[in-house]
Amino acid sequence: MTQLEQRLRRNIAEVSGHIAAAAVRAGRSPGDVTLVAVTKSAPDAVIPLLAGCGLDNLGESRPQRLAERQRLAPDARWHLIGHLQRNKVRDALAAAELIHSVDSLRLLERISQVAGELGHTARLLLEVNISGEAAKHGFSPDELRAHWADCQRIPHVELAGLMTMAPLSDDPETARPPFRGLRELRDELRAATGLPLSELSMGMSGDYEIGVEEGATLVRVGSALFEGLETP
Ligand SMILES: *Cc1c(COP(=O)(O)O)cnc(C)c1O
């Protein structure tokens, strides 16, 4: 085994161990949490190794980059996690099994239209700006409540759940109120409509353990897996 692969395996074991421990703390099963490895900071040489290391859910922020990297790991389930422009929807649907970052009704309508043309159902998460930061993409909770009936009527899409990003912070506990808020919003929308909304995508390298404690089914982890892999 190369040194690169040893380091990678050590990082994966560490992150997976933290996820499992956080799940147990919250009375959840570790198997209910999927680690999405965000490859945007990973060296190219690492991508073909990931399947052998047990990582089969991979994420990228941009459709173009996702398509490039997909050639290096064609059998993985690819997740698009970054802001999607409406003119990139076709590329995104061709490549990604789940889009985490549907942040407006206009984008949702565009995805529906393209998915209809392609004859398939797009699996999506709606991104919610729980913390209310001006620079963040996503529906505000009130906007989502107001548009919820419209969202549900849109064809060719499966609304699988919700996604959020916590404010940048050195203190992981900063993420707890928005993550809890996302879960409560999901519970509220679920009760109102009966849609399962089973997926909650919340948690990155700095705060994925909090995400798991608060109910995440998907955590999006990049730098904790890939940073410094190539430094001697
Ligand atoms: C980059 C990115 C991540 C991963 O961030 P890390 O801090 O490197 O783990 C997760 N989610 C989104 C939306 C990202 O853009």
Side-chain angles (χ1 to χ4, degrees), residues 41-52:
S41 64
D44 273 344
V46 161
I47 310 295
L49 304 175
L50 296 176

Side-chain angles (χ1 to χ4, degrees), residues 38 40 61 81 165 204-205 220-223:
V38 177
K40 67 191 186 205
S61 298
I81 61 169
M165 292 172 75
M204 311 181 10
S205 290
R220 311 177 308 271
V221 179
S223 44

Side-chain angles (χ1 to χ4, degrees), residues 19-67:
I19 289 172
V24 168
R25 280 200 296 281
R28 307 181 59 208
S29 162
D32 292 344
V33 184
T34 298
L35 170 59
V36 178
V38 177
T39 52
K40 67 191 186 205
S41 64
D44 273 344
V46 161
I47 310 295
L49 304 175
L50 296 176
C53 296
L55 289 180
D56 40 24
N57 284 272
L58 308 181
E60 275 289 339
S61 298
R62 294 188 294 116
Q64 171 71 35
R65 185 79 171 142
L66 192 157

